[in-house]
Structures are given as C-alpha cells and as structure tokens.
C-alpha cells in the first residue's frame, strides 16, 4: 500500500506541477494515473520513484516514509519503467535482465542468468534472450523492460506511458499480458491513453492542473471525464 498525503511539487521555474494531492494505491491492483498532457502525472510518478523530492507532504510505503528507506530496500520494493525504456543497447535481452541482480549481488551469476531465462519463459518471450534491443519491436521492448524490472521482485512497478510506442492491437495484447502478471506484482500505470486505462486498470485517478479531480473504480473515473468533457 502506497499512501500520498498533501503532496506538492513545484519546479525551479515556479511551475506548481502537484498541488497538495492525497491518494492511496493498493498494491494488489493495476492502478491508472490518467489525465491530459501536462496534468502532473509524470511528476507524481517521479516523486513516487524518489527521483524528485516534493517540497511538501509525504509518501508512505506500507506505513513507512519513503525518505527514510535505504536505497537498496527502496529500489527492491518499487520498480520503475520509464517512457524511454532505457534498455542497454550493447547488451542482449538476457544480459539486460541479469545486469542489476548481478550488480546488487542477488546470488551467483549462473543462478541469476538461469532466473533471467526463467523470467523470459514465464513472460512468454524466451526467444528474445539473445537479441539486442535494436533487433526487437516496440511491443517486445516494452515487455523486456518490464521483465527486467521484475527481476528484482518489486511489490509494485511504476510504468510511464507504456503504450506510447504501441499501435492499438499491440496495446490490447500488452494489456492482457499485464493483467496476467498482476497476481504477483501491482502496477501503477501513468497514461493519457484512456482506452488502455479502461481495459487494463481496476481503479484509477484523473488529474488536471496538478490536482486529482476524480478517483475510484476506473469506469467511474472515465465516466466522470466523459460527462465533464460533454458539458
Ligand atoms: N523539468 C520541468 N521544469 C519545469 N516544468 C516542468 C518540468 N517537467 C514538467 N514540467 C511542467 O509540470 C507540469 C506537469 O508536467 P508532467 O508531470 O510532465 O505532466 P504529464 O506527465 O501529465 O504530461 C506541466 O505544466 C509541465 O510543463
Ligand atoms: Mg508524462
């Protein structure tokens, strides 16, 4: 469970991107953070990921203030996949998956490589193991980036605009794939793609101008938006 309390973030140029927002993210669901471009979604994600430090408010992970957590504990609880996936271009898919666990000494190298192979099998993409990022499609790269994040077994993963490089059909397949994974890991998905949010998430929020204008079951959130836009 992640709780956000009275969180505000203002950029150096005075832009108030988050204005005292409060919400909570249950870990066992796929949760969508929606809103139009510029509404503050990525800023919120970067605060949750501890890449930005809010001027006001707090974020609690299972009751503990994330500012108090040591880096390794924090990163093994909350995984992040950025909009630009940041796969290492000079490493194969299998090497991309193995790198962080090896660096963090999560076990003998042989075991980690075996686990990475298992992860690719489990996620239905074993054939990609020996490919380099430039040799795979956008949809495959998105899955590989998530597989890499899952190697550290986080309780929750944050995804920023995961469908931005995918066509409608690939987005739908990706949605089904994510829903299969949610029994092991919770996902918080930042997206302006409302159709994707609707088929993927159980609950969500809709942001506008740095505040949360609606939260709850995803259908209610989207119905509120449709109603609002029609007025
Ligand atoms: N590095 C930055 N410096 C100044 N303003 C920024 C920066 N990044 C984002 N913003 C501004 O903060 C607001 C929220 O941006 P962002 O969180 O990226 O929104 P979203 O992800 O919903 O598109 C916008 O007004 C945006 O222009
Ligand atoms: Mg964004």
């Amino acid at each position: 469970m992640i709780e956000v309390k009275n969180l505000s973030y203002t950029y150096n140029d005075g832009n108030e991107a988050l204005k005292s927002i409060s919400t909570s993210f249950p870990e066992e669901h796929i949760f969508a953070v929606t809103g139009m471009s510029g509404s503050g979604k990525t800023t919120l994600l970067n605060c949750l990921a501890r890449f930005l430090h809010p001027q006001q408010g707090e974020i609690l992970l299972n009751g503990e203030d994330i500012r108090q957590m040591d880096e390794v504990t924090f990163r093994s609880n909350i995984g992040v996949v950025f909009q630009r996936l940041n796969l290492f271009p000079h490493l194969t898919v299998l090497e991309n998956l193995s790198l962080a666990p090896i660096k963090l000494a999560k076990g003998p190298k042989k075991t980690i490589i075996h686990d990475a192979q298992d992860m690719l099998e489990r996620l239905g993409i074993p054939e990609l193991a020996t490919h380099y990022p430039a040799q795979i499609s956008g949809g495959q790269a998105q899955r590989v980036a998530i597989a890499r994040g899952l190697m550290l077994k986080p309780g929750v993963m944050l995804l920023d605009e995961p469908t931005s490089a995918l066509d409608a059909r690939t987005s739908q397949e990706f949605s089904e794939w994510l829903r299969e994974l949610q029994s092991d890991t919770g996902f918080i998905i930042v997206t302006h793609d409302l159709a994707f949010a609707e088929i993927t998430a159980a609950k969500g929020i809709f942001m506008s101008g740095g505040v949360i204008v609606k939260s709850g079951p995803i259908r209610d959130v989207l119905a509120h938006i449709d109603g609002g836009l029609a007025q």
Side-chain angles (χ1 to χ4, degrees):
M1 166 80 112
I2 299 176
E3 291 164 278
V4 170
K5 295 186 177 171
N6 305 317
L7 198 73
S8 296
Y9 187 85
T10 303
Y11 286 98
N12 286 337
D13 63 1
N15 194 337
E16 279 184 83
L18 298 176
K19 299 172 186 163
S20 194
I21 66 168
S22 297
T23 188
S24 58
F25 304 94
E27 263 184 33
E28 69 274 19
H29 288 293
I30 299 183
F31 192 101
V33 175
T34 64
M36 299 304 153
S37 182
S39 57
K41 306 182 298 298
T42 296
T43 305
L44 174 59
L45 178 132
N46 283 326
C47 291
L48 293 174
R50 247 172 43 169
F51 296 130
L52 290 177
H53 304 289
Q55 290 85 2
Q56 185 205 299
E58 57 183 5
I59 300 171
L60 306 178
L61 174 64
N62 301 324
E64 190 180 350
D65 190 325
I66 62 169
R67 285 171 296 197
Q68 311 298 330
M69 300 177 69
D70 70 78
E71 184 67 6
V72 173
T73 310
F74 180 75
R75 296 283 159 222
S76 54
N77 275 292
I78 297 190
V80 191
V81 175
F82 294 100
Q83 188 167 357
R84 297 174 60 198
L85 302 171
N86 299 329
L87 292 173
F88 299 109
H90 60 292
L91 299 180
T92 64
V93 164
L94 194 70
E95 289 163 350
N96 263 281
L97 263 67
S98 314
L99 188 68
I102 289 173
K103 282 211 160 169
L104 293 170
K106 292 278 179 183
K109 197 171 165 183
K110 255 190 170 169
T111 313
I112 289 170
I113 290 171
H114 185 80
D115 290 350
Q117 193 79 54
D118 273 357
M119 178 66 75
L120 293 173
E121 296 269 352
R122 197 162 70 78
L123 302 191
I125 45 175
E127 70 282 4
L128 300 183
T130 55
H131 289 51
Y132 286 89
Q135 300 171 318
I136 63 181
S137 71
Q140 289 171 331
Q142 187 60 259
R143 291 174 197 220
V144 168
I146 291 170
R148 181 176 63 173
L150 290 175
M151 286 295 293
L152 297 176
K153 303 184 178 69
V156 59
M157 281 194 77
L158 313 176
L159 312 182
D160 195 9
E161 300 286 357
T163 63
S164 59
L166 309 184
D167 60 34
R169 196 174 65 88
T170 317
S171 288
Q172 190 165 348
E173 286 169 7
F174 177 64
S175 169
E176 287 163 16
W177 184 82
L178 275 182
R179 280 179 284 145
E180 284 169 21
L181 297 182
Q182 67 175 312
S183 55
D184 295 335
T185 310
F187 291 96
I188 298 174
I189 303 177
V190 163
T191 184
H192 71 277
D193 182 345
L194 301 182
F196 174 72
E198 182 167 26
I199 60 170
T200 311
K203 291 183 176 177
I205 56 177
F206 188 86
M207 297 183 64
S208 177
V211 299
I212 296 171
V213 293
K214 181 77 183 169
S215 67
I218 195 71
R219 277 174 200 285
D220 296 353
V221 171
L222 298 177
H224 175 83
I225 310 316
D226 284 346
L229 292 177
Q231 276 165 20

